mmCIF file of all heavy atoms in Angstrom:
data_model
loop_
_atom_site.group_PDB
_atom_site.id
_atom_site.type_symbol
_atom_site.label_atom_id
_atom_site.label_comp_id
_atom_site.label_asym_id
_atom_site.label_seq_id
_atom_site.Cartn_x
_atom_site.Cartn_y
_atom_site.Cartn_z
ATOM 1 N N GLU B 262 8.017 48.569 -13.137
ATOM 2 C CA GLU B 262 7.776 47.835 -12.074
ATOM 3 C C GLU B 262 9.150 47.041 -11.617
ATOM 4 O O GLU B 262 9.310 46.883 -10.470
ATOM 5 C CB GLU B 262 6.653 46.853 -12.333
ATOM 6 C CG GLU B 262 5.306 47.483 -12.511
ATOM 7 C CD GLU B 262 4.298 46.779 -13.218
ATOM 8 O OE1 GLU B 262 4.593 45.531 -13.640
ATOM 9 O OE2 GLU B 262 3.167 47.044 -13.263
ATOM 10 N N TRP B 263 9.796 46.580 -12.511
ATOM 11 C CA TRP B 263 11.113 45.884 -12.173
ATOM 12 C C TRP B 263 12.018 46.775 -11.321
ATOM 13 O O TRP B 263 12.617 46.348 -10.326
ATOM 14 C CB TRP B 263 11.783 45.337 -13.430
ATOM 15 C CG TRP B 263 13.192 44.908 -13.291
ATOM 16 C CD1 TRP B 263 14.294 45.327 -13.867
ATOM 17 C CD2 TRP B 263 13.586 43.808 -12.381
ATOM 18 N NE1 TRP B 263 15.440 44.552 -13.429
ATOM 19 C CE2 TRP B 263 14.985 43.799 -12.381
ATOM 20 C CE3 TRP B 263 13.020 43.021 -11.318
ATOM 21 C CZ2 TRP B 263 15.903 42.965 -11.714
ATOM 22 C CZ3 TRP B 263 13.777 42.167 -10.583
ATOM 23 C CH2 TRP B 263 15.274 42.010 -10.829
ATOM 24 N N ARG B 264 12.209 48.034 -11.744
ATOM 25 C CA ARG B 264 13.067 48.982 -11.009
ATOM 26 C C ARG B 264 12.513 49.139 -9.652
ATOM 27 O O ARG B 264 13.254 49.274 -8.706
ATOM 28 C CB ARG B 264 13.116 50.278 -11.880
ATOM 29 C CG ARG B 264 13.906 50.247 -13.027
ATOM 30 C CD ARG B 264 14.205 51.570 -13.682
ATOM 31 N NE ARG B 264 13.057 52.380 -14.189
ATOM 32 C CZ ARG B 264 12.582 52.165 -15.399
ATOM 33 N NH1 ARG B 264 13.166 51.240 -16.241
ATOM 34 N NH2 ARG B 264 11.453 52.885 -15.787
ATOM 35 N N GLY B 265 11.042 49.255 -9.545
ATOM 36 C CA GLY B 265 10.526 49.503 -8.287
ATOM 37 C C GLY B 265 10.709 48.229 -7.246
ATOM 38 O O GLY B 265 11.037 48.500 -6.156
ATOM 39 N N ILE B 266 10.616 47.172 -7.835
ATOM 40 C CA ILE B 266 10.923 45.859 -7.026
ATOM 41 C C ILE B 266 12.343 45.874 -6.506
ATOM 42 O O ILE B 266 12.573 45.643 -5.423
ATOM 43 C CB ILE B 266 10.634 44.640 -7.864
ATOM 44 C CG1 ILE B 266 9.074 44.587 -8.149
ATOM 45 C CG2 ILE B 266 10.975 43.339 -7.163
ATOM 46 C CD1 ILE B 266 8.069 44.336 -7.065
ATOM 47 N N ALA B 267 13.221 46.076 -7.420
ATOM 48 C CA ALA B 267 14.729 46.161 -7.144
ATOM 49 C C ALA B 267 14.933 47.174 -5.903
ATOM 50 O O ALA B 267 15.659 46.861 -5.043
ATOM 51 C CB ALA B 267 15.561 46.425 -8.431
ATOM 52 N N ALA B 268 14.373 48.340 -6.125
ATOM 53 C CA ALA B 268 14.561 49.433 -5.067
ATOM 54 C C ALA B 268 13.896 48.967 -3.734
ATOM 55 O O ALA B 268 14.464 49.090 -2.744
ATOM 56 C CB ALA B 268 13.862 50.678 -5.611
ATOM 57 N N SER B 269 12.645 48.480 -3.871
ATOM 58 C CA SER B 269 12.075 48.021 -2.617
ATOM 59 C C SER B 269 12.775 46.996 -1.829
ATOM 60 O O SER B 269 12.655 46.931 -0.661
ATOM 61 C CB SER B 269 10.607 47.572 -2.901
ATOM 62 O OG SER B 269 9.785 48.429 -3.482
ATOM 63 N N LEU B 270 13.456 46.158 -2.597
ATOM 64 C CA LEU B 270 14.153 45.014 -1.924
ATOM 65 C C LEU B 270 15.659 45.445 -1.668
ATOM 66 O O LEU B 270 16.389 44.622 -1.225
ATOM 67 C CB LEU B 270 14.054 43.736 -2.766
ATOM 68 C CG LEU B 270 12.587 43.152 -2.788
ATOM 69 C CD1 LEU B 270 12.724 41.947 -3.778
ATOM 70 C CD2 LEU B 270 12.273 42.582 -1.496
ATOM 71 N N GLY B 271 15.999 46.683 -1.757
ATOM 72 C CA GLY B 271 17.332 47.087 -1.565
ATOM 73 C C GLY B 271 18.365 46.599 -2.348
ATOM 74 O O GLY B 271 19.385 46.254 -1.961
ATOM 75 N N ARG B 272 18.009 46.127 -3.740
ATOM 76 C CA ARG B 272 18.943 45.487 -4.587
ATOM 77 C C ARG B 272 19.125 46.295 -5.859
ATOM 78 O O ARG B 272 18.776 45.781 -7.064
ATOM 79 C CB ARG B 272 18.495 44.073 -4.881
ATOM 80 C CG ARG B 272 18.597 43.148 -3.760
ATOM 81 C CD ARG B 272 20.067 42.923 -3.267
ATOM 82 N NE ARG B 272 20.855 42.412 -4.321
ATOM 83 C CZ ARG B 272 21.098 41.011 -4.530
ATOM 84 N NH1 ARG B 272 20.453 40.135 -3.883
ATOM 85 N NH2 ARG B 272 21.842 40.638 -5.513
ATOM 86 N N PRO B 273 19.570 47.535 -5.848
ATOM 87 C CA PRO B 273 19.752 48.217 -7.052
ATOM 88 C C PRO B 273 20.712 47.562 -8.037
ATOM 89 O O PRO B 273 20.844 47.883 -9.249
ATOM 90 C CB PRO B 273 20.264 49.674 -6.538
ATOM 91 C CG PRO B 273 20.809 49.377 -5.290
ATOM 92 C CD PRO B 273 19.994 48.276 -4.552
ATOM 93 N N ASP B 274 21.548 46.812 -7.368
ATOM 94 C CA ASP B 274 22.705 46.019 -8.228
ATOM 95 C C ASP B 274 21.903 45.217 -9.289
ATOM 96 O O ASP B 274 22.485 44.984 -10.480
ATOM 97 C CB ASP B 274 23.572 45.218 -7.416
ATOM 98 C CG ASP B 274 22.751 44.257 -6.560
ATOM 99 O OD1 ASP B 274 21.797 44.618 -5.847
ATOM 100 O OD2 ASP B 274 23.010 42.977 -6.735
ATOM 101 N N TRP B 275 20.656 44.781 -9.133
ATOM 102 C CA TRP B 275 19.979 43.907 -10.109
ATOM 103 C C TRP B 275 19.898 44.689 -11.407
ATOM 104 O O TRP B 275 19.832 44.005 -12.579
ATOM 105 C CB TRP B 275 18.632 43.601 -9.574
ATOM 106 C CG TRP B 275 18.585 42.322 -8.581
ATOM 107 C CD1 TRP B 275 19.662 41.661 -8.240
ATOM 108 C CD2 TRP B 275 17.434 42.071 -7.672
ATOM 109 N NE1 TRP B 275 19.308 40.613 -7.259
ATOM 110 C CE2 TRP B 275 17.918 40.989 -6.872
ATOM 111 C CE3 TRP B 275 16.194 42.559 -7.466
ATOM 112 C CZ2 TRP B 275 17.190 40.477 -5.953
ATOM 113 C CZ3 TRP B 275 15.515 41.974 -6.574
ATOM 114 C CH2 TRP B 275 15.842 40.862 -5.793
ATOM 115 N N LEU B 276 19.705 46.019 -11.291
ATOM 116 C CA LEU B 276 19.534 46.873 -12.589
ATOM 117 C C LEU B 276 20.641 46.815 -13.429
ATOM 118 O O LEU B 276 20.580 47.137 -14.525
ATOM 119 C CB LEU B 276 19.114 48.224 -12.130
ATOM 120 C CG LEU B 276 17.825 48.330 -11.201
ATOM 121 C CD1 LEU B 276 17.395 49.752 -10.896
ATOM 122 C CD2 LEU B 276 16.620 47.621 -11.829
ATOM 123 N N HIS B 277 21.895 46.473 -12.860
ATOM 124 C CA HIS B 277 23.039 46.491 -13.592
ATOM 125 C C HIS B 277 23.496 44.968 -13.989
ATOM 126 O O HIS B 277 24.612 44.824 -14.697
ATOM 127 C CB HIS B 277 24.212 47.178 -12.901
ATOM 128 C CG HIS B 277 23.823 48.526 -12.420
ATOM 129 N ND1 HIS B 277 23.537 49.591 -13.330
ATOM 130 C CD2 HIS B 277 23.653 49.064 -11.176
ATOM 131 C CE1 HIS B 277 23.190 50.649 -12.577
ATOM 132 N NE2 HIS B 277 23.138 50.330 -11.320
ATOM 133 N N ASP B 278 22.715 44.059 -13.540
ATOM 134 C CA ASP B 278 23.147 42.638 -13.997
ATOM 135 C C ASP B 278 22.519 42.332 -15.212
ATOM 136 O O ASP B 278 21.251 42.448 -15.590
ATOM 137 C CB ASP B 278 22.290 41.742 -12.863
ATOM 138 C CG ASP B 278 22.881 40.298 -13.034
ATOM 139 O OD1 ASP B 278 23.102 39.868 -14.162
ATOM 140 O OD2 ASP B 278 22.817 39.693 -11.907
ATOM 141 N N PRO B 279 23.485 42.063 -16.208
ATOM 142 C CA PRO B 279 23.028 41.718 -17.722
ATOM 143 C C PRO B 279 21.921 40.650 -17.864
ATOM 144 O O PRO B 279 21.194 40.640 -18.726
ATOM 145 C CB PRO B 279 24.381 41.324 -18.351
ATOM 146 C CG PRO B 279 25.390 41.128 -17.276
ATOM 147 C CD PRO B 279 24.884 41.825 -15.988
ATOM 148 N N ARG B 280 21.962 39.779 -16.751
ATOM 149 C CA ARG B 280 20.945 38.676 -16.796
ATOM 150 C C ARG B 280 19.478 39.204 -16.635
ATOM 151 O O ARG B 280 18.567 38.670 -17.092
ATOM 152 C CB ARG B 280 21.135 37.640 -15.750
ATOM 153 C CG ARG B 280 22.386 36.803 -15.869
ATOM 154 C CD ARG B 280 22.592 35.955 -14.555
ATOM 155 N NE ARG B 280 22.512 36.721 -13.389
ATOM 156 C CZ ARG B 280 22.456 36.244 -12.181
ATOM 157 N NH1 ARG B 280 22.347 34.921 -12.041
ATOM 158 N NH2 ARG B 280 22.618 36.922 -11.132
ATOM 159 N N PHE B 281 19.401 40.388 -16.025
ATOM 160 C CA PHE B 281 18.023 40.951 -15.733
ATOM 161 C C PHE B 281 17.811 42.306 -16.410
ATOM 162 O O PHE B 281 16.978 43.118 -15.965
ATOM 163 C CB PHE B 281 17.965 41.113 -14.178
ATOM 164 C CG PHE B 281 18.372 39.924 -13.421
ATOM 165 C CD1 PHE B 281 18.990 39.999 -12.221
ATOM 166 C CD2 PHE B 281 18.073 38.666 -13.864
ATOM 167 C CE1 PHE B 281 19.413 38.912 -11.476
ATOM 168 C CE2 PHE B 281 18.367 37.501 -13.069
ATOM 169 C CZ PHE B 281 19.069 37.664 -11.901
ATOM 170 N N ALA B 282 18.616 42.472 -17.457
ATOM 171 C CA ALA B 282 18.555 43.875 -18.103
ATOM 172 C C ALA B 282 17.267 44.302 -18.677
ATOM 173 O O ALA B 282 16.927 45.400 -18.608
ATOM 174 C CB ALA B 282 19.721 43.878 -19.182
ATOM 175 N N ASP B 283 16.520 43.341 -19.312
ATOM 176 C CA ASP B 283 15.221 43.631 -19.890
ATOM 177 C C ASP B 283 14.263 42.554 -19.700
ATOM 178 O O ASP B 283 14.632 41.439 -19.247
ATOM 179 C CB ASP B 283 15.281 44.121 -21.441
ATOM 180 C CG ASP B 283 16.140 43.087 -22.224
ATOM 181 O OD1 ASP B 283 15.876 41.814 -21.818
ATOM 182 O OD2 ASP B 283 16.882 43.520 -23.087
ATOM 183 N N ALA B 284 13.162 42.649 -20.305
ATOM 184 C CA ALA B 284 11.960 41.653 -20.056
ATOM 185 C C ALA B 284 12.513 40.291 -20.655
ATOM 186 O O ALA B 284 12.267 39.392 -20.009
ATOM 187 C CB ALA B 284 10.785 42.083 -20.666
ATOM 188 N N SER B 285 13.168 40.449 -21.824
ATOM 189 C CA SER B 285 13.497 39.226 -22.528
ATOM 190 C C SER B 285 14.730 38.407 -21.677
ATOM 191 O O SER B 285 14.540 37.163 -21.482
ATOM 192 C CB SER B 285 14.067 39.589 -23.892
ATOM 193 O OG SER B 285 14.840 38.480 -24.389
#
Side-chain angles (χ1 to χ4, degrees):
Chain B
E262 288 167 353
W263 167 236
R264 288 192 293 274
I266 295 292
S269 296
L270 289 172
R272 291 296 302 272
D274 58 302
W275 283 345
L276 303 180
H277 307 293
D278 189 326
R280 293 175 302 167
F281 311 142
D283 56 35
S285 164

